[in-house]
């Protein structure tokens, strides 16, 4: 459990940094919990930027990471002298049984999400990008430019910098615990917002709704970034509400900072920059409690936008230095990315078209429910789950607020409009990639649905009974969904042996990753300086060498764009690529990009087979191969 220790040291260090940053803007949070969430959230973002600076300074060494953590924790002890006297521990005797029960449920959900972080990384996106980039950074002790080996590597990576820190002082489980902790921060922020408008019980309930959502359970405990994005977006909303309520510019500045941290986590976070002024304008038109003229709206939007860009600028600079494009991989008019070509762009666009085709297939399945269910019941169930049944009940509850718009508190109306605009702007991405979209949308949905439930609880006894039944039904269906999803992925109870040390990490990974047995051979016989072209397998975290992705890399797309073997060999050797790794996994080969290297005759003629496990094959270009 040493990973928990390193997580706590990172949290303490982040608290120290965040407290000093927040203090500069002269705002005074009302609750200690509010101060903790704000300080740690801002502090983690600041710590990530410090790590980015260390990376550019070529200082990604364990000794440097240990020194940073120790110095920050020394400062934390100093800060604690001022913070500890204000802490008041919860007196359970002063709480009623319902509140205690809700706190127990919240604690249990939190514990299970943290426990999941002890499962070794097996998620596709994690092994392709989120942990693979930190591995390169640590092995080369710097922000290593892999843009020509993997074109999508130039996305903002605020959380990946924290993962790098966690892996420098600990291991990849620390990185997963960091993401789980973001889930806890998100739940606490949701509770704080809800508490502004309703009772303590309902605020705890809103946190439970969030932390028990199947998508949150799915991503929690993995080194993804979506829950981190959700946290920074809801923290932006929270701090923006603080500005609306107090008119203190410090809250607006902090809100701009958290908005910048949102887009630094993932480009989708930039939508907050559009949503906030739109929501304010809409509320102003429909209700007069928030008294701002349009000149003020423009002025404050300009201030907000400039501060937002200041926070986001380090990632734009990093991307520009590597690709000549400040927002790679997006193509800007007149700017040509050095790691991009027409084939990669075609693949980037076609991936969305494939998702759209899959979506339409699921729509047809639902429309012809009876016939399809008789033919293939499993597919029908999967199609129903695809539509995020976990979120539609929340939308249903939120719709109750629309008829009461004039009676709602201004803050609730702001969050309501923010959520609806968010949904409308992102409805197409939701259909293409539903989980990645709904996770950042879920925090405001949880606030609004919990507020609606609170209003129902205030009605007659019958209304209370209906609300309880709906709530129990929601949570039970969510957990059933989550259990089915996690079991299908090889997790849930199947992972308990490795979590508690009964099963070794190596055995677990061999049983869950068909390529993992190849790692021993490659890590033993190849060095970090060797380049391997990977065809149909991008999950390369466990391989301690440089993998060039054939479908999304400038150095590898030649194998798909040319049918001339001599041209391919010449290009590979020019880029110092002497090995080819081919996966014949059925799932990947169904949607593979065509290449002549699938031809066994060509492979045997120009390449030597070094090793195979029956699914994956490692080849080396023959020394006498013509090029």
């Amino acid at each position: 459990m040493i990973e928990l220790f390193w997580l706590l040291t990172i949290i303490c260090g982040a608290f120290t940094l965040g407290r000093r940053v927040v203090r500069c803007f002269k705002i005074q949070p009302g609750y200690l919990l509010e101060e903790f969430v704000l300080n740690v959230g801002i502090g983690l973002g600041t710590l990530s930027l410090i790590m980015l600076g260390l990376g550019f300074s070529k200082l990604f060494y364990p000794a440097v990471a240990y020194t940073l953590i120790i110095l920050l924790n020394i400062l934390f002890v100093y800060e604690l002298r001022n913070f500890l006297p204000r802490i008041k521990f919860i007196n359970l005797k002063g709480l009623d049984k319902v509140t205690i029960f809700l706190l127990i449920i919240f604690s249990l959900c939190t514990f299970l999400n943290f426990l999941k972080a002890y499962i070794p990384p097996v998620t596709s996106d994690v092994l392709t990008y989120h942990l693979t980039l930190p591995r390169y950074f640590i092995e080369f002790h710097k922000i290593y430019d892999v843009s020509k080996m993997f074109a999508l590597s130039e996305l903002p990576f605020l959380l990946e910098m924290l993962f790098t820190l966690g892996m420098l002082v600990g291991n990849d489980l620390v990185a997963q615990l960091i993401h789980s902790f973001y889930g806890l921060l998100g739940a606490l922020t949701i509770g704080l917002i809800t508490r502004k408008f309703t009772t303590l019980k309902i605020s705890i309930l809103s946190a439970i709704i969030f932390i028990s959502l199947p998508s949150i359970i799915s991503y929690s405990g993995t080194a993804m970034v979506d829950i981190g994005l959700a946290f920074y977006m809801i923290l932006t909303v929270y701090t923006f509400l603080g500005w609306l309520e107090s008119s203190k510019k410090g809250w607006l500045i902090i809100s701009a900072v958290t908005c910048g941290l949102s887009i630094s986590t993932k480009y989708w976070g930039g939508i907050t920059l559009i949503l906030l002024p739109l929501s304010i304008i809409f509320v102003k038109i429909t209700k007069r409690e928030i008294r701002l003229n349009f000149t003020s709206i423009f002025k404050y939007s300009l201030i907000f936008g400039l501060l937002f860009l200041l926070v986001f600028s380090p990632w734009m600079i990093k991307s520009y230095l590597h690709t000549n494009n400040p927002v790679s991989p997006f193509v800007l008019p007149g700017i040509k990315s050095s790691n991009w070509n027409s084939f990669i762009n075609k693949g980037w666009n076609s991936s969305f078209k494939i998702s759209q085709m899959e979506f339409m297939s699921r729509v047809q399945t639902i429309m012809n429910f009876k016939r399809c269910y008789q033919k293939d019941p499993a597919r029908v169930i999967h199609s129903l789950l695809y539509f995020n049944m976990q979120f539609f009940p929340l939308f249903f509850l939120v719709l109750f607020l629309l008829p009461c718009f004039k009676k709602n508190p201004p803050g609730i109306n702001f969050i309501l409009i923010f959520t609806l605009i968010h949904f409308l702007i992102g409805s197409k991405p939701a259909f293409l990639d539903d989980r990645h979209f709904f996770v950042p949308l879920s925090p405001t949905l949880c606030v609004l649905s919990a507020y609606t439930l609170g209003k129902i609880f205030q009605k007659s006894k019958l209304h209370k009974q209906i609300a309880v039944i709906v709530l129990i039904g929601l949570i039970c269906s969510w957990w059933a969904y989550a259990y089915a999803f996690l079991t299908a992925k090889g997790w849930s109870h199947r992972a308990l042996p490795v979590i508690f040390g009964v099963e070794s990490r190596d055995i677990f990974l061999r049983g869950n990753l068909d390529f993992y047995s190849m790692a021993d051979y490659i890590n033993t016989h190849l060095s970090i300086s060797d380049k391997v072209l990977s065809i149909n397998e991008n999950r390369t975290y466990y391989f301690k060498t440089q993998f060039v992705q054939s479908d999304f890399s400038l150095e590898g797309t030649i194998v798909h764009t040319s049918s001339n073997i001599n041209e391919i060999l010449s290009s590979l050797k020019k880029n110092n690529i002497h090995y080819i790794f081919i996966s014949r996994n059925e799932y990947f080969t169904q949607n593979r990009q065509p290449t002549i290297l699938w031809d066994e005759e060509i492979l045997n003629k120009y390449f030597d087979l070094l090793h195979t496990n029956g699914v994956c094959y490692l080849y080396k270009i023959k020394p006498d191969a013509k090029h």
Side-chain angles (χ1 to χ4, degrees):
M1 294 294 177
I2 188 66
E3 292 85 7
L4 271 178
F5 168 78
W6 289 119
L7 174 66
L8 289 174
T9 59
I10 291 172
I11 293 170
C12 293
F15 178 86
T16 304
L17 283 172
R19 187 171 171 80
R20 289 173 177 268
V21 171
V22 172
R23 191 184 298 159
C24 295
F25 303 119
K26 298 178 181 180
I27 61 171
Q28 186 58 46
Y31 303 99
L32 286 177
L33 184 59
E34 178 184 43
E35 188 172 350
F36 171 79
V37 170
L38 198 58
N39 289 343
V40 175
I42 298 293
L44 286 171
T46 307
L47 187 56
S48 178
L49 293 173
I50 290 174
M51 289 298 296
L52 181 67
L54 291 176
F56 277 122
S57 303
K58 302 180 181 180
L59 292 174
F60 276 162
Y61 292 93
V64 176
Y66 289 133
T67 303
L68 176 63
I69 292 295
I70 291 171
L71 289 175
L72 289 176
N73 278 267
I74 291 173
L75 292 174
F76 172 75
V77 173
Y78 175 78
E79 291 286 350
L80 210 56
R81 294 188 307 171
N82 300 322
F83 192 73
L84 268 179
R86 298 168 55 204
I87 296 178
K88 295 180 181 179
F89 293 97
I90 297 175
N91 182 11
L92 295 179
K93 293 182 180 179
L95 300 176
D96 58 64
K97 292 181 180 179
V98 175
T99 304
I100 294 174
F101 174 74
L102 290 172
L103 287 172
I104 291 172
I105 295 297
F106 177 75
S107 301
L108 178 62
C109 293
T110 302
F111 170 76
L112 292 175
N113 286 342
F114 272 92
L115 187 66
K116 187 169 171 282
Y118 281 88
I119 303 172
V122 293
T123 309
S124 180
D125 285 359
V126 170
L127 302 184
T128 300
Y129 175 80
H130 299 298
L131 286 183
T132 302
L133 283 182
R135 176 179 67 81
Y136 280 125
F137 299 155
I138 291 170
E139 287 171 348
F140 289 96
H141 310 297
K142 63 179 181 179
I143 302 294
Y144 186 63
D145 182 7
V146 295
S147 58
K148 293 183 180 179
M149 298 191 297
F150 179 35
L152 303 183
S153 64
E154 290 308 313
L155 295 165
F157 44 69
L158 183 133
L159 258 67
E160 282 81 0
M161 287 290 91
L162 297 175
F163 297 162
T164 303
L165 176 62
M167 293 166 67
L168 278 169
V169 298
N171 51 41
D172 49 28
L173 299 185
V174 179
Q176 298 194 141
L177 283 168
I178 289 172
H179 197 228
S180 293
F181 180 69
Y182 268 109
L184 175 59
L185 286 177
L188 294 176
T189 308
I190 290 167
L192 286 169
I193 293 177
T194 310
R195 187 69 179 91
K196 289 176 177 287
F197 311 107
T198 185
T199 64
L200 176 62
K201 294 186 185 67
I202 300 302
S203 65
I204 299 172
L205 179 62
S206 66
I208 293 173
I209 292 174
F210 174 76
I211 210 165
S212 64
L213 284 171
S215 288
I216 302 303
I217 297 171
S218 169
Y219 285 143
S220 185
T222 65
M224 300 285 283
V225 301
D226 299 270
I227 297 178
L229 170 62
F231 164 69
Y232 281 119
M233 289 185 72
I234 193 63
L235 188 61
T236 301
V237 172
Y238 182 70
T239 51
F240 202 79
L241 280 172
W243 174 65
L244 291 177
E245 294 169 353
S246 66
S247 298
K248 293 182 179 178
K249 290 183 181 179
W251 283 108
L252 181 67
I253 294 172
I254 291 293
S255 185
V257 169
T258 55
C259 186
L261 295 177
S262 297
I263 195 173
S264 299
T265 303
K266 200 170 185 177
Y267 276 132
W268 185 253
I271 195 174
T272 314
L273 189 65
I274 304 170
L275 294 177
L276 294 176
L278 285 179
S279 302
I280 287 295
I281 292 170
F282 192 91
V283 172
K284 174 181 171 56
I285 292 172
T286 56
K287 198 167 185 178
R288 297 293 180 177
E289 276 83 350
I290 301 175
R291 298 182 180 179
L292 286 173
N293 56 50
F294 286 100
T295 304
S296 297
I297 290 174
F298 176 78
K299 181 181 73 172
Y300 288 123
S301 297
L302 182 63
I303 294 172
F304 191 96
L306 291 174
L307 290 169
F308 161 86
L309 286 175
L310 179 64
V311 175
F312 180 54
S313 60
W315 310 101
M316 298 175 69
I317 294 170
K318 179 267 302 178
S319 182
Y320 180 78
L321 291 175
H322 289 170
T323 68
N324 297 325
N325 181 355
V327 290
S328 178
F330 296 105
V331 179
L332 295 177
I335 297 178
K336 184 177 180 181
S337 297
S338 60
N339 67 327
W340 206 256
N341 60 25
S342 58
F343 179 83
I344 298 174
N345 192 58
K346 182 180 177 181
W348 174 257
N349 293 327
S350 66
S351 64
F352 290 98
K353 292 180 181 178
I354 291 171
S355 298
Q356 195 168 23
M357 291 169 61
E358 291 177 351
F359 170 74
M360 292 307 299
S361 174
R362 290 184 172 93
V363 170
Q364 293 172 5
T365 300
I366 301 300
M367 296 298 290
N368 301 284
F369 181 83
K370 184 176 180 180
R371 180 173 58 82
C372 293
Y373 186 81
Q374 292 174 346
K375 184 178 180 181
D376 190 354
R379 176 170 176 76
V380 172
I381 293 172
H382 180 75
S383 298
L384 286 169
L385 294 179
Y386 177 86
F387 280 93
N388 272 288
M389 294 177 66
Q390 53 181 313
F391 293 105
F392 283 165
L394 298 184
F395 273 114
F396 179 74
L397 287 171
V398 169
L399 291 177
F400 278 105
L401 295 174
L402 290 175
C404 307
F405 192 86
K406 291 185 178 180
K407 297 180 181 179
N408 294 332
I412 286 294
N413 284 339
F414 165 72
I415 298 172
L416 176 61
I417 299 304
F418 180 94
T419 304
L420 293 177
I421 296 175
H422 189 174
F423 177 76
L424 291 173
I425 292 177
S427 58
K428 187 174 181 180
F431 293 142
L432 299 180
D433 194 359
D434 59 328
R435 285 174 298 151
H436 289 292
F437 165 76
F438 277 115
V439 168
L441 177 64
S442 61
T444 52
L445 274 177
C446 292
V447 171
L448 295 172
S449 58
Y451 176 79
T452 306
L453 285 170
K455 286 296 182 182
I456 295 174
F457 278 128
Q458 293 175 3
K459 302 292 183 179
S460 65
K461 186 176 181 180
L462 177 62
H463 286 85
K464 289 183 180 180
Q465 292 173 345
I466 293 173
V468 170
I469 292 171
V470 169
L471 187 60
I472 293 174
L474 284 176
I475 294 177
C476 289
S477 65
W478 292 338
W479 277 94
Y481 176 101
Y483 178 81
F485 179 81
L486 297 179
T487 304
K489 291 288 185 180
W491 303 341
S492 194
H493 64 281
R494 302 182 187 183
L496 290 178
V498 72
I499 289 174
F500 294 105
V502 177
E503 181 181 74
S504 71
R505 175 187 172 104
D506 188 70
I507 292 175
F508 175 82
L509 291 173
R510 287 178 185 276
N512 284 273
L513 301 173
D514 58 11
F515 61 84
Y516 185 75
S517 59
M518 296 288 290
D520 288 338
Y521 181 89
I522 291 177
N523 294 341
T524 302
H525 293 84
L526 276 66
S527 69
I528 185 61
S529 60
D530 290 317
K531 281 187 177 181
V532 180
L533 178 68
S534 178
I535 300 176
N536 282 359
E537 184 54 80
N538 296 331
R539 301 169 296 172
T540 58
Y541 168 64
Y542 291 108
F543 299 100
K544 297 179 180 178
T545 188
Q546 299 181 66
F547 270 73
V548 179
Q549 298 186 3
S550 66
D551 50 352
F552 276 106
S553 71
L554 202 63
E555 295 179 349
T557 52
I558 184 68
V559 301
H560 300 298
T561 57
S562 175
S563 58
N564 185 322
I565 186 61
N566 288 324
E567 185 180 1
I568 291 174
L569 291 173
S570 176
S571 176
L572 293 179
K573 291 190 175 183
K574 178 183 176 182
N575 291 307
N576 199 30
I577 300 172
H578 301 288
Y579 300 90
I580 293 181
F581 183 90
I582 298 178
S583 172
R584 298 189 183 275
N585 180 300
E586 183 180 351
Y587 173 79
F588 291 103
T589 54
Q590 286 176 351
N591 298 310
R592 69 176 185 264
Q593 296 282 2
T595 171
I596 62 172
L597 294 184
W598 281 101
D599 191 322
E600 293 285 350
E601 184 177 343
I602 289 178
L603 285 172
N604 293 331
K605 183 177 180 181
Y606 295 98
F607 301 87
D608 290 322
L609 178 62
L610 300 182
H611 191 66
T612 181
N613 64 357
V615 178
C616 303
Y617 300 79
L618 179 67
Y619 294 91
K620 184 178 182 180
I621 300 176
K622 290 182 177 180
D624 58 346
K626 293 182 179 180
H627 62 279

